[in-house]
Amino acid sequence: MNQVDHLRSWKDHLTSEPYRSYLYSYPHKTAYRTLETKLPLSELWSRELADTFFLYMHIPFCGARCGFCNLFTLPDKRADVHAEYVDALERQAAQWAPFIRSKPIARFAVGGGTPTLLVPEQLDRLFHIAQHVVGMDPSQASISVETSPETVTPDRLAILKNRQVDRVSMGIQSFVESEAEAIYRPQKPQEVETALKLLKQQQFPILNLDLIYGLPGQTLQSWMYSLDRALSYEPEEVFIYPLYTREHTIVKPEQIRQSGEDRRLELYKAARERLLERGYTQYSMRRFAKAEAGSDKTLLSYGCHDEGMIGLGCGARSYTNTVHYSSRYSVGRSATASIIADYVAQNDYSYADYGVVLSKDDQQRRFILKSLLHTEGLALDGYAERFTASALADYPELNQLLDTELAAIENGTLRLTSEGLMYSDAIGDWFISPEIRELMESCVVS
């Protein structure tokens, strides 16, 4: 096979299954394992190179489990359970504070689950922990909180406003009731509209709305209806996600296959065109935002490929330069409940015992992927400065992206083309190291 035929065959294979996998971080959480020895956090964080930190709190509770969800979350609305969990999170924060207060917090995010499922007093307490236990300064940190339509209430929004939240992100997925029902999401369109009106009244600097394409029964017309309803509220940011299903999600992959032709690429293209027409800038396959969107604060800097991520709460991941760690991972209800119970009962949070130790190859691949899968691209001199080597020499396979016009180099930066962005998930999956892939494929999720 000559070089031209080889490249054509490679590209055809890559683009034939654009949604084979996805990466929000690297290495993927399914590569995490029990570490050979417990690692003291005091040592891990004393060696961290990042100038600023990203603080994340995970609240693993939600009102109901959506059919596509494979996150670490548990349907549980009991206020006493939530209070015990926040107690544990505060204990953990107090134990970690001596290791992480040496550098400022540039970003603070609260996710889940649904953080706003907490009663107002507990929701407010999260910000107290971030500010007074960990040392986050709300005047210089970008603060983001996830919510859901049924938990958007005036008293909760007042707390977010008072705590200087810059970005509120709400998962809508669809404005069509039958599509929401198909993914086991107990959500009425009027409930969504009411929540959006309340959010707009508060005038948060950034309102982000999440939508999903490829839902069972969804058509191009119904997808564009949902997108247009979202855009009618003029959100500063929109994330569009392809529907992903796994064997351990409620909606199974075979149900999607049985629903007929996979139209996700078509729906993505239509949404991308509409968003660009409406003045949004594309920053990744999923993220579209208004160029002027942002906070009035003078924010500390934090790069998307930096480490220094502090994950508090059961299910949160933490990233140092050489080790990524978290609690155990599960999707099933009983296993998730058991992991949360162990976390709440725990007294010592001062070590990491579950995660992955990053080799030099892992660190380099992470840097490349975290840059390349965003429109800012991979600055080749930035890679050279960090790793004293050439990215294209270390990974000559990157030239395949260039030779197939999935990427281009301009002013020293390797960027995906618009076609390359469309196949971001497949490109991310292709660039996983053999060692990490083997760990992921051998992962058993309970």
Side-chain angles (χ1 to χ4, degrees):
M1 183 183 295
N2 61 38
Q3 180 67 7
V4 173
D5 289 340
H6 171 74
L7 286 171
R8 184 182 296 116
S9 175
W10 175 81
K11 184 176 182 180
D12 287 346
H13 174 73
L14 186 80
T15 58
S16 64
E17 296 182 68
Y19 307 111
R20 69 191 73 188
S21 183
Y22 62 88
L23 284 175
Y24 294 129
S25 184
Y26 182 86
H28 194 271
K29 62 189 173 187
T30 53
Y32 290 15
R33 296 291 187 276
T34 300
L35 299 174
E36 291 183 6
T37 57
K38 294 181 178 180
L39 303 176
L41 298 188
S42 56
E43 295 181 14
L44 281 184
W45 288 99
S46 67
R47 300 194 300 264
E48 185 49 45
L49 302 176
D51 294 326
T52 59
F53 291 154
F54 188 138
L55 174 63
Y56 173 72
M57 290 183 182
H58 190 73
I59 307 301
F61 305 110
C62 55
R65 189 172 196 86
C66 297
F68 59 85
C69 180
N70 71 338
L71 301 176
F72 185 86
T73 184
L74 182 70
D76 195 331
K77 297 182 178 181
R78 293 176 293 173
D80 59 333
V81 171
H82 299 172
E84 290 178 354
Y85 179 85
V86 178
D87 286 344
L89 191 149
E90 184 164 10
R91 290 199 305 275
Q92 182 186 21
Q95 290 184 26
W96 286 26
F99 317 139
I100 58 182
R101 291 196 71 152
S102 59
K103 296 178 181 179
I105 303 297
R107 294 186 184 179
F108 172 43
V110 189
T114 307
T116 49
L117 189 68
L118 300 179
V119 296
E121 308 90 87
Q122 298 297 342
L123 179 63
D124 191 58
R125 191 174 162 202
L126 299 179
F127 295 93
H128 175 86
I129 294 169
Q131 188 170 350
H132 298 287
V133 179
V134 181
M136 184 270 297
D137 181 349
S139 69
Q140 61 181 8
S142 173
I143 305 175
S144 177
V145 177
E146 295 179 10
T147 190
S148 62
E150 73 275 12
T151 62
V152 172
T153 59
D155 50 355
R156 290 184 173 96
L157 293 185
I159 289 170
L160 302 188
K161 194 70 176 178
N162 183 57
R163 290 294 189 169
Q164 302 182 54
V165 169
D166 304 286
R167 177 180 180 272
V168 178
S169 177
M170 186 164 74
I172 295 172
Q173 322 317 352
S174 175
F175 281 82
V176 179
E177 188 171 350
S178 61
E179 293 176 3
E181 289 176 348
I183 52 172
Y184 299 86
R185 190 174 177 87
Q187 167 181 291
K188 302 295 183 183
Q190 187 54 52
E191 182 178 54
V192 175
E193 304 276 0
T194 299
L196 284 167
K197 290 172 184 174
L198 287 171
L199 282 165
K200 291 297 290 184
Q201 288 172 7
Q202 291 290 342
Q203 298 182 328
F204 291 101
I206 298 176
L207 170 63
N208 171 74
L209 302 180
D210 293 344
L211 299 171
I212 293 181
Y213 55 94
L215 299 174
Q218 191 176 59
T219 64
L220 176 59
Q221 291 71 29
S222 68
W223 164 236
M224 298 306 289
Y225 168 78
S226 285
L227 179 58
D228 286 339
R229 286 305 306 144
L231 292 178
S232 71
Y233 287 92
E234 300 184 340
E236 285 72 27
E237 191 175 67
V238 177
F239 272 72
I240 56 171
Y241 293 91
L243 176 66
Y244 272 98
T245 57
R246 295 291 182 265
E247 295 302 329
H248 46 267
T249 55
I250 298 172
V251 177
K252 304 299 182 187
E254 59 268 20
Q255 292 174 258
I256 304 303
R257 289 193 291 268
Q258 292 167 2
S259 65
E261 181 184 1
D262 186 346
R263 304 181 66 186
R264 285 177 288 183
L265 273 177
E266 175 192 4
L267 302 181
Y268 164 83
K269 291 177 183 178
R272 179 181 182 274
E273 182 178 356
R274 180 65 52 85
L275 286 159
L276 295 179
E277 286 174 352
R278 293 290 297 272
Y280 288 82
T281 299
Q282 184 171 17
Y283 291 95
S284 70
M285 173 184 158
R286 291 165 169 77
R287 180 177 175 247
F288 295 78
K290 295 179 179 179
E292 68 276 12
S295 172
D296 292 333
K297 301 175 185 175
T298 301
L299 299 174
L300 297 171
S301 63
Y302 182 88
C304 74
H305 45 59
D306 287 342
E307 285 70 42
M309 182 162 178
I310 304 157
L312 293 174
C314 193
R317 284 176 276 174
S318 296
Y319 308 145
T320 70
N321 189 48
T322 57
V323 179
H324 291 189
Y325 64 93
S326 71
S327 63
R328 271 65 177 169
Y329 168 66
S330 175
V331 174
R333 181 174 187 129
S334 60
T336 301
S338 176
I339 293 170
I340 293 173
D342 289 343
Y343 170 80
V344 169
Q346 191 171 337
N347 291 314
D348 185 1
Y349 302 94
S350 65
Y351 58 85
D353 64 353
Y354 185 80
V356 59
V357 178
L358 277 65
S359 66
K360 183 180 179 183
D361 177 55
D362 291 329
Q363 294 173 40
Q364 292 174 165
R365 287 179 185 270
R366 171 179 168 79
F367 186 94
I368 289 170
L369 281 171
K370 294 290 283 183
S371 302
L372 188 61
L373 298 183
H374 295 81
T375 54
E376 68 175 306
L378 171 65
L380 297 176
D381 58 353
Y383 179 94
E385 181 180 354
R386 180 158 180 172
F387 298 108
T388 61
S390 161
L392 293 176
D394 285 344
Y395 301 97
E397 62 267 35
L398 290 172
N399 285 292
Q400 294 175 235
L401 297 173
L402 298 168
D403 294 338
T404 55
E405 298 183 344
L406 293 174
I409 295 178
E410 182 179 357
N411 298 323
T413 298
L414 176 64
R415 288 189 179 90
L416 296 181
T417 61
S418 61
E419 183 184 17
L421 276 177
M422 184 165 62
Y423 295 109
S424 289
D425 285 355
I427 290 170
D429 179 72
W430 160 73
F431 199 64
I432 294 171
S433 73
E435 295 75 17
I436 293 298
R437 187 179 303 281
E438 182 178 356
L439 287 170
M440 291 170 60
E441 291 177 349
S442 64
C443 177
V444 177
V445 180
S446 56

